[in-house]
Amino acid sequence: MIRIQARVEQSTLMKIASPILAIILTLIFSSVLFSTLGKDPIQAMHVLLIAPLSDLYNIGEMFVKMGPLLLCAVGLSLCYRANLWNIGAEGQLLMGALGGGAAALALIDSTSIFALPIAILCGVVSGMVWAAFPTYLKLKFNSNLILTTIMFNYIALYLLLWAVHGPLRDPDGYGFPESALFSDAVTLPVLFEDGRIHLGIVLAIISAFAAWILLNKSHIGFQIRVFGEDEPAARYAGFNGKKLSWTVMLIAGGLAGLAGVAEVTGPIGQLIPSISPGYGYSAIIVAYLGRLHPLGALLSATFMAVLYMGGDLAQIEIGVPTAVVGMFQGVLLFFLLACDFFIRYRLTFISNQPIQE
Amino acid sequence: MAISTDTTDCRIKLENITKQYPGCLANDNISLSLLPGEIHALLGENGAGKSTLVKTIYGVVSPDQGKIIWDGEQVHVKSPSDARDLGIGMVFQHFSLFETLTVSENIELCLSKKQLIAIENLPEKIRNLSKAYGLDVDPDRYIHSLSIGERQRVEILRCLVQSVKLLILDEPTSVLTPQEVANLFVVLNKLSAEGCSILFISHKLHEVTEICQKATILRGGKVISTCSPREESPSSIAKMMVGDLAEQDAGYSKKEGSKVIFQAKELNLPTKQPFGTELKKINFDLKAGEILGIAGVAGNGQDELMAAISGEDGRLVNNMLFLNQQDIGKLDAGERRQLGMANVPEERLGRGAVPEMSLTENTLLTQSKGFISNGLVNWKKVQQHAQKIIDQYKVKCHGEFSDAKSLSGGNLQKFIMGREIGQNPIVLICAHPTWGVDVGAALSIHQSLLKLRDEGAAILLVSEDIDELFLLADRIGAVCDGHLSPLIKTDETDIEQIGLWMAGSFIPESLEATQ
């Protein structure tokens, strides 16, 4: 007989092993799936996970995808550590792109060295504003943060679509729903001559380290952790829950906004309808896979970026739909949550002895 | 199950029970026996192994070694339902009743089908038993409408319905008024006279000397002594429990406070939760250098009063609370702390300390002065301070890196007391400081409270343990249904009067009628 028992202490081993176990289970599950689709699972895995790291160009592209994932995931890790279920990174990212993009278009004739910082700042502030609405609604009316942030994702998406179809459409763009290309003064510098690795990726990595210092070294970070882990204790200690909620939500919104503006002023270079292939949603998985630890997010964002690249390559090379990436992510999160169960619980095997009468 | 016909035999006999937990030998070769009708006390400090032992008897824990002999036959108690089938009943410290169900439904839930068929009319049976033992429980009432004392009687009834032959009670008196305790003892004596054995866990030694025929004292998982409590005094038993306890916890001098530090004026506060208590016109002065004790049965507004004073409640109470003449009604809990208020809450784990955080981190929880520079925490300093609290208050733990939840209740309480007292507060509000704490720890907690008082702090002490209040408090009052009784010097009153106040005798009838 198998019995589920609560562990006396959380298992440190399982905390680390759980993401690895989840990845292995996902790979096994996907192999079965590829086999039933008539594809060679080994080849499919190679294309999905190894090929993206096979040459410098692909590695560069991997970093380009890792940047926004990491920025969003760092912000979300902070929110989730504070027990605030912000699902709105996608919307905050889009608003960052829209706000920063609008500023970049307004500064299209400028040659000032301040043009780019202003555009980036506008993007960050737009992301913060987009995070501020649900935060206010939660703190004032106790609305459900999960629902409001998801709804704000849709509002952000349709605002962006409206903008590129309407006021921000390039007048010389033959009616395509795209803005004009941004000028060089408002484009993020690339780090290497080849490829598209831009300054935003450096900012993303810095943000991960900064968030780590915030959480583990600062007093406010300590308050955030207490608030998330044990709200009655935070209230007892006299920590200001509203202030803490505002802090993490605005940081998360700002980072997601930065991700958005870095996309449009970096690799994309203009406003288009499809800025994000769901970075804000994938970042939720990245945050969990990284154990809600900003430095863990660094590893998991890399993994997820490889998967994005692999999805593109898989479509080209073995002809599976890109939806495979979404499925892969979903299955991964599913297995991760299942494996996390064993951090707090364990199975014990009990021999079936006949009950004595 | 064969039942021995020889009634002179022991009802239950434990032989060499041993249970090893990771890093802790909870029970070490424990042997114990109870005769039919015997009331037997199980005494010991926290962590002495009492809970493990009774859980073994009740089938919650399976022992590594040892035998349980029930009515002369060796038995394996694999689960509580096995235990109930044998005739073992247990009333836990925290009741396991569903508030939204009636008494009768709650009792029905833990009966097996066979038992249910045997009892034709359950409410009728409850009524009969209730009458026979003077328990006064109506089977049709909902649990949420019952007082704590009544709920406990429901738990006892639940055991009686199953014709219990051994009743285990885990600290049954800690939630009762003195009058309710007296009633409980009448019931227990009656059960004992009918041949039901009772295993009684308590920290209150005078109760043990009053009703128990035998006592087994555990220390560190071993049986230290078995004695007849009636031939011992509470202090001699206490000595056996904690070993070389230098001096006894009694006879502290009373003091009169000097100037008024803290005032509550006409404090009214509607309830936040459906089962909460509304605070009604609470008035009191708290003076520097005194301990003001507030007695009361749980759920009569103590929690609400504490939350209002500490600021955890979070609502504005303008012109009702004053610290040194300053209106603190609009300040939050953190700002009140800054002004020199400290707080020891009732729940240690989950409120007074974060379970999954280390003692170092839990030190920083309420004490940040001197540990923060430029917004960054100097963890080394915090760690040293945590170490100091652990040493000074003799907190038993692996070290300052231990998680709060790995400490026993008493040790965590010592840690929290040390942390709060270490801030040199001018006002300390303190709820149930020794609830569930062993005699040794209680002694050191009492002494540190008195030392703080003598240094000039004002202490508000809320406790359900009326003996403790009489021991420590300089002035005393009681809460009942959100009203606060008059306050009186402890020397000028007695347990009888406070007991009546706890039952609400001070509330004018005109007010009572409007409820």
Side-chain angles (χ1 to χ4, degrees), chain A:
Chain A
M1 197 171 80
I2 301 171
R3 202 187 273 178
I4 294 163
Q5 261 189 344
R7 288 180 194 267
V8 184
E9 277 184 32
Q10 286 192 16
S11 160
T12 324
L13 176 70
M14 271 315 289
K15 255 189 222 174
I16 298 161
S18 164
I20 298 165
L21 199 60
I23 289 172
I24 294 170
L25 286 170
T26 308
L27 293 180
I28 294 170
F29 178 84
S30 312
S31 304
V32 173
L33 193 88
F34 284 127
S35 305
T36 54
L37 285 174
K39 314 283 178 197
D40 176 12
I42 300 204
Q43 189 203 356
M45 288 303 148
H46 184 269
V47 172
L48 265 179
L49 299 171
I50 313 285
L53 298 172
S54 58
D55 63 49
L56 275 178
Y57 170 80
N58 279 342
I59 291 174
E61 283 302 290
M62 189 275 290
F63 273 109
V64 169
K65 291 191 159 41
M66 187 258 247
L69 282 171
L70 181 57
L71 281 167
C72 292
V74 165
L76 292 181
S77 298
L78 291 178
C79 288
Y80 299 161
R81 288 296 280 269
N83 218 0
L84 290 168
W85 302 104
N86 173 11
I87 314 291
E90 180 77 2
Q92 290 145 21
L93 180 145
L94 294 177
M95 285 311 283
L98 180 57
L105 290 172
L107 294 165
I108 202 156
D109 296 325
S110 165
T111 52
S112 159
I113 52 160
F114 296 113
L116 179 66
I118 289 172
I120 288 179
L121 193 67
C122 285
V124 170
V125 170
S126 305
M128 285 174 148
V129 168
W130 216 243
F133 287 112
T135 314
Y136 177 80
L137 292 173
K138 175 180 167 57
L139 295 179
K140 183 78 182 171
F141 303 109
N142 200 20
S143 66
N144 185 318
L145 193 64
I146 298 176
L147 294 182
T148 48
T149 48
I150 291 178
M151 288 194 281
F152 268 75
N153 287 346
Y154 288 102
I155 300 173
L157 177 62
Y158 289 110
L159 271 176
L160 174 70
L161 292 180
W162 166 76
V164 293
H165 281 90
L168 299 182
R169 185 168 60 184
D170 184 1
D172 309 322
Y174 308 103
F176 281 105
E178 291 172 354
S179 78
L181 283 170
F182 301 155
S183 68
D184 284 349
V186 284
T187 301
L188 277 175
V190 285
L191 299 183
F192 308 105
E193 264 182 32
D194 297 331
R196 303 197 293 168
I197 298 183
H198 54 85
L199 192 64
I201 291 149
V202 178
L203 294 178
I205 294 170
I206 292 173
S207 81
F209 280 95
W212 176 71
I213 290 171
L214 176 80
L215 264 186
N216 290 292
K217 305 281 173 197
S218 78
H219 194 219
I220 191 133
F222 173 73
Q223 297 183 7
I224 290 169
R225 286 190 287 136
V226 172
F227 181 69
E229 214 160 286
D230 188 347
E231 207 189 323
R235 225 179 309 132
Y236 156 74
F239 299 159
N240 188 333
K242 283 192 175 173
K243 198 178 95 185
L244 294 173
S245 301
W246 276 114
T247 308
V248 287
M249 284 298 286
L250 290 182
I251 291 177
L255 289 176
L258 176 61
V261 68
E263 279 298 284
V264 292
T265 59
I268 300 175
Q270 64 183 141
L271 281 177
I272 55 171
S274 56
I275 290 167
S276 156
Y279 286 138
Y281 295 116
S282 306
I284 298 169
I285 303 169
V286 172
Y288 266 97
L289 206 56
R291 312 279 73 190
L292 303 185
H293 191 295
L295 298 185
L298 207 55
L299 291 178
S300 56
T302 312
F303 177 76
M304 194 62 81
V306 168
L307 205 55
Y308 263 110
M309 285 292 300
D312 287 350
L313 294 175
Q315 191 179 18
I316 299 162
E317 291 188 17
I318 50 174
V320 292
T322 39
V324 159
V325 176
M327 180 223 68
F328 208 95
Q329 289 180 1
V331 172
L332 182 60
L333 184 63
F334 172 81
F335 279 123
L336 184 67
L337 295 177
C339 292
D340 278 359
F341 179 79
F342 295 102
I343 295 175
R344 285 171 188 276
Y345 298 91
R346 65 169 174 221
L347 296 181
T348 46
F349 299 90
I350 305 162
S351 60
N352 270 329
Q353 281 174 4
I355 290 164
Q356 295 192 350
E357 281 295 319

Side-chain angles (χ1 to χ4, degrees), chain A residues 233 236-239, chain B residues 306 310 312 333 336-338 340-348 351-353 361-369 385 389 392-393 412-431 433 445 448-449 452 455 457-459:
Chain A
Y236 156 74
F239 299 159
Chain B
M306 297 285 288
S310 70
E312 281 169 79
R336 293 185 201 186
R337 276 186 179 281
Q338 300 277 316
M341 291 177 68
N343 176 1
V344 177
E346 179 183 6
E347 307 123 80
R348 291 143 205 179
R351 186 143 148 241
E361 288 173 299
N362 272 302
T363 304
L364 187 66
L365 187 64
T366 62
Q367 195 172 7
S368 58
K369 233 179 250 169
H385 190 77
I389 296 173
Q392 202 173 339
Y393 290 86
L412 187 58
Q413 182 71 352
K414 283 198 273 187
F415 175 79
I416 293 173
M417 289 291 300
R419 181 185 70 194
E420 298 300 305
I421 290 175
Q423 302 171 37
N424 298 318
I426 54 173
V427 173
L428 175 72
I429 47 180
C430 187
I445 288 171
S448 44
L449 277 173
L452 187 69
E455 286 164 6
I459 299 172

